[in-house]
């Protein structure tokens, strides 16, 4: 279907592709960047019955693998990747959600099967994916704990999670918060040393999930706990075509959560247009972006936004 784009969410991956540092994304030139969108259906292809012209939609729609991205006024999109935009969210708010929410869902729900009564620890809890993991865990009746830098404390605590400063040794916070048993589920969003710490923080027979499980890691701590590990590669349906309908299903669940007040987008108050995308990318590359940066493509120009001190920390 053809979508008239109102807002396009930016992601660290966009910057990596632009810098030639993301070979796994395989986006050959000439390339339009931008993975997330929110907008309105303009036309639908033959056989499409799930959405109609005029529907407000959002999704993780392109920007990788040769599929042109969302930093454009219009995009031709596989309808399976889209869902109806949450009624209670603006286009800007909706455009901040797809990649980070799908990544959180695939790890916490699809891989780890989070359920009520469990304890969930998030490495990098103030980042975009981390904030989604916290909200998903709480919505499903689990207790949420989040490791991060001091500047992320407010964002984490406003969502209802217990904050853990990343300078605290793993053994200390495992003892302090779990009586030394460890956490049922650990979701790593930072990779590297944070993933190694996750193997030490999980309880016996627990589950570690990572969306940045690259590099070399010692698995002995995980094995000694008889725990399991799952990796998340959110781009897989875009790159291969497998599982695209599930992305649309996940976003339909996100819309239900948002419309019931259980999901708050990590949206930055800063505004950007197609002409100032470069500035948004510079903020992300420099690690100074606070919250999810969204580009106004059309509409929403007079929307109210959260104040700049809303507690959102830099996305990792």
């Amino acid at each position: 279907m053809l979508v008239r784009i109102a807002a396009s969410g930016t992601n660290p991956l966009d910057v990596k592709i632009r810098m030639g540092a993301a070979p796994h994304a395989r986006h050959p030139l000439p390339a339009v960047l931008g993975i997330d969108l929110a907008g309105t259906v303009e036309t639908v292809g033959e056989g499409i019955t799930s959405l109609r012209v005029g529907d407000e939609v959002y999704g993780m729609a392109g920007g990788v693998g040769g599929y042109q991205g969302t930093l454009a006024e219009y995009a031709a999109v596989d309808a399976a990747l889209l869902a109806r935009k949450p009624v209670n969210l603006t286009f800007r708010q909706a455009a901040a959600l797809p990649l980070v929410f799908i990544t959180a869902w695939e790890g916490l729900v699809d891989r780890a099967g989070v359920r009520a009564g469990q304890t969930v620890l998030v490495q990098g809890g103030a980042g975009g994916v981390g904030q989604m993991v916290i909200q998903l865990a709480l919505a499903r009746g689990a207790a949420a704990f989040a490791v991060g830098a001091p500047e992320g404390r407010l964002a984490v605590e406003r969502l209802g999670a217990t904050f853990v400063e990343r300078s605290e040794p793993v053994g200390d916070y495992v003892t302090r918060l779990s009586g030394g048993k460890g956490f049922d589920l650990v979701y790593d969003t930072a990779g590297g040393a944070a993933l190694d710490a996750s193997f030490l923080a999980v309880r016996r027979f627990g589950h570690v999930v990572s969306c940045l499980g690259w590099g070399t890691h010692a698995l002995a701590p995980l094995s000694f706990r008889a725990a399991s590990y799952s990796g998340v590669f959110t781009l897989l349906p875009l790159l291969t075509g497998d599982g695209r309908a599930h992305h649309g299903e996940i976003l339909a669940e996100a819309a239900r959560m948002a419309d019931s007040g259980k999901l708050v987008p990590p949206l930055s108050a800063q505004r950007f247009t197609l002409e100032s995308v470069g500035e948004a990318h510079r903020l992300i590359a420099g690690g100074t972006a606070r919250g999810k940066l969204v580009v106004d493509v059309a509409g929403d120009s007079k929307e109210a936004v959260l104040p700049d001190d809303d507690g959102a920390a830099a996305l990792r």
Side-chain angles (χ1 to χ4, degrees), residues 184-262:
D184 296 309
L185 307 176
V186 183
Y187 197 127
D188 162 54
T189 72
L195 181 52
D196 292 327
S198 300
F199 295 157
L200 297 172
V202 70
R203 70 177 302 153
R204 292 175 185 170
F205 309 110
H207 198 136
V208 175
V209 177
S210 180
C211 59
L212 279 175
W214 305 336
T216 301
H217 299 271
L219 298 180
L222 192 71
S223 299
F224 290 153
R225 290 163 174 78
S228 56
Y229 169 82
S230 293
V232 176
F233 185 37
T234 316
L235 300 183
L236 198 61
L238 275 177
L239 295 175
T240 68
D242 293 335
R244 289 188 172 191
H246 188 46
H247 275 197
E249 294 165 355
I250 292 171
L251 291 176
E253 291 292 338
R256 282 189 276 272
M257 285 182 61
D259 287 337
S260 64
K262 296 180 179 179

Side-chain angles (χ1 to χ4, degrees), residues 8-30:
S8 172
T10 63
N11 293 283
L13 180 58
D14 300 325
V15 178
K16 293 176 183 178
I17 293 173
R18 179 175 175 171
M19 296 171 63
H24 64 284
R26 300 200 305 272
H27 198 34
L29 296 173

Side-chain angles (χ1 to χ4, degrees), residues 293-308:
L293 306 185
V294 172
V295 176
D296 297 313
V297 178
D300 286 326
S301 60
K302 297 182 179 180
E303 286 179 2
V305 295
L306 295 173
D308 200 35

